[in-house]
Amino acid sequence: MQVKVSPVFQIFEQQHREAKELFLALGKQIKSKKVIELSGKMAFLELYSDLMAKIHFEKEGVGIDAFSPFKKLQKNLRKIHHFKLVEKSLKVRELKTGLTFNSYRQFLENHKKALYIETFDLIVGSTLKSWDDFLQKCHQASKGIKPLMINTAINQIIQEELEFLHINQKTQMDSRVLRDVFEGMRMVIMLENLLIHLGFNPIFVESIHEEISALKENMKPWYSNHLELQSLTQFLGEKEDVQKKYLDWVKEQRDEKKSLSSQVEKQAHQLFSKILV
């Protein structure tokens, strides 16, 4: 008797197929738009492997291990995405001030060249076998899964993520914690959307969903600022003499980060007071 494959696998299969197509396209030329698209696809593929690992927790080699061949690629894709945000901030700054930041631009160009070459070599140096193996492992893991098992596993992963984010409401959130909050909210949204797609009731009511989505969206400018300040600080750290235009810029970045951090921290505390027990 043939074991049925869970309908949830169809979602994975589509995402896997689209991710593989993007991967092949990037093997011809690295384009930032396709990099960002692939990064989003791989975030789901990793989440799906985590879901399979949660369901088959008693079995070895299911889930996280299946995704491990893509970890390095995923990390580089995120680096390129982050770089594009930083590159955009430089363009905005030059338009806003009418000044040029040639030495910083060259610093970014050198970083971009090295990152793009490393990522391209990583792609063309790999084989499609890892993609086929990953698909096969997830297909096998998706057999015989009952809807209730999926529902339970998603609930467990969300609960574990929220417990990880269970922060003392009196403690100020630093950059690391806020970054974890941003990633955590993205994961929760993906899992909740998966539940709804499969016909299950979402864990949170609509008003909480709206707050989670609002927090994630409001954290985007904070995250961009965090990356921009990180990059600019690294650049200035290598300089003996720093021009005033750079000092003015980094001061504005720090002031902006302080303001944005205060806003998202307050919003996060308000949300967590409702969803964390």
Side-chain angles (χ1 to χ4, degrees), residues 242-257:
V242 180
Q243 293 174 283
K244 184 178 182 297
K245 61 183 178 181
Y246 286 107
L247 294 175
D248 291 341
W249 189 10
V250 78
K251 182 181 182 302
E252 287 185 31
Q253 289 279 34
R254 285 170 177 160
D255 290 342
E256 182 182 9
K257 183 174 184 178

Side-chain angles (χ1 to χ4, degrees), residues 200-263:
F200 294 111
N201 292 324
I203 296 174
F204 303 111
V205 296
E206 185 176 352
S207 60
I208 295 296
H209 263 273
E210 292 174 354
E211 287 193 47
I212 291 174
S213 296
L215 174 59
K216 178 176 173 289
E217 288 303 309
N218 290 340
M219 290 196 76
K220 287 182 178 180
W222 172 87
Y223 199 51
S224 293
N225 169 269
H226 169 70
L227 295 170
E228 293 157 14
L229 183 56
Q230 193 176 54
S231 173
L232 188 57
T233 302
Q234 181 185 353
F235 165 72
L236 296 179
E238 300 175 2
K239 298 291 181 182
E240 292 184 2
D241 297 318
V242 180
Q243 293 174 283
K244 184 178 182 297
K245 61 183 178 181
Y246 286 107
L247 294 175
D248 291 341
W249 189 10
V250 78
K251 182 181 182 302
E252 287 185 31
Q253 289 279 34
R254 285 170 177 160
D255 290 342
E256 182 182 9
K257 183 174 184 178
K258 184 177 180 180
S259 176
L260 291 171
S261 295
S262 177
Q263 293 174 25

Side-chain angles (χ1 to χ4, degrees), residues 129-249:
K129 186 177 184 301
S130 57
W131 287 90
D132 297 337
D133 289 346
F134 183 43
L135 179 65
Q136 181 58 36
K137 286 181 179 179
C138 287
H139 179 267
Q140 188 64 32
S142 302
K143 290 182 178 180
I145 298 177
K146 299 182 184 300
L148 183 59
M149 295 168 67
I150 300 172
N151 189 17
T152 300
I154 290 177
N155 275 267
Q156 287 177 344
I157 293 176
I158 289 179
Q159 186 58 40
E160 288 172 3
E161 186 62 30
L162 293 179
E163 288 175 359
F164 175 72
L165 297 174
H166 198 304
I167 304 157
N168 188 328
Q169 299 297 301
K170 296 180 181 179
T171 302
Q172 185 177 10
M173 299 181 184
D174 59 18
S175 295
R176 179 188 59 79
V177 173
L178 286 174
R179 186 192 63 221
D180 290 341
V181 169
F182 179 79
E183 295 297 336
M185 291 301 97
R186 186 175 67 158
M187 179 187 292
V188 169
I189 290 171
M190 279 196 294
L191 287 170
E192 280 280 69
N193 287 339
L194 185 56
L195 273 178
I196 295 170
H197 183 84
L198 294 172
F200 294 111
N201 292 324
I203 296 174
F204 303 111
V205 296
E206 185 176 352
S207 60
I208 295 296
H209 263 273
E210 292 174 354
E211 287 193 47
I212 291 174
S213 296
L215 174 59
K216 178 176 173 289
E217 288 303 309
N218 290 340
M219 290 196 76
K220 287 182 178 180
W222 172 87
Y223 199 51
S224 293
N225 169 269
H226 169 70
L227 295 170
E228 293 157 14
L229 183 56
Q230 193 176 54
S231 173
L232 188 57
T233 302
Q234 181 185 353
F235 165 72
L236 296 179
E238 300 175 2
K239 298 291 181 182
E240 292 184 2
D241 297 318
V242 180
Q243 293 174 283
K244 184 178 182 297
K245 61 183 178 181
Y246 286 107
L247 294 175
D248 291 341
W249 189 10

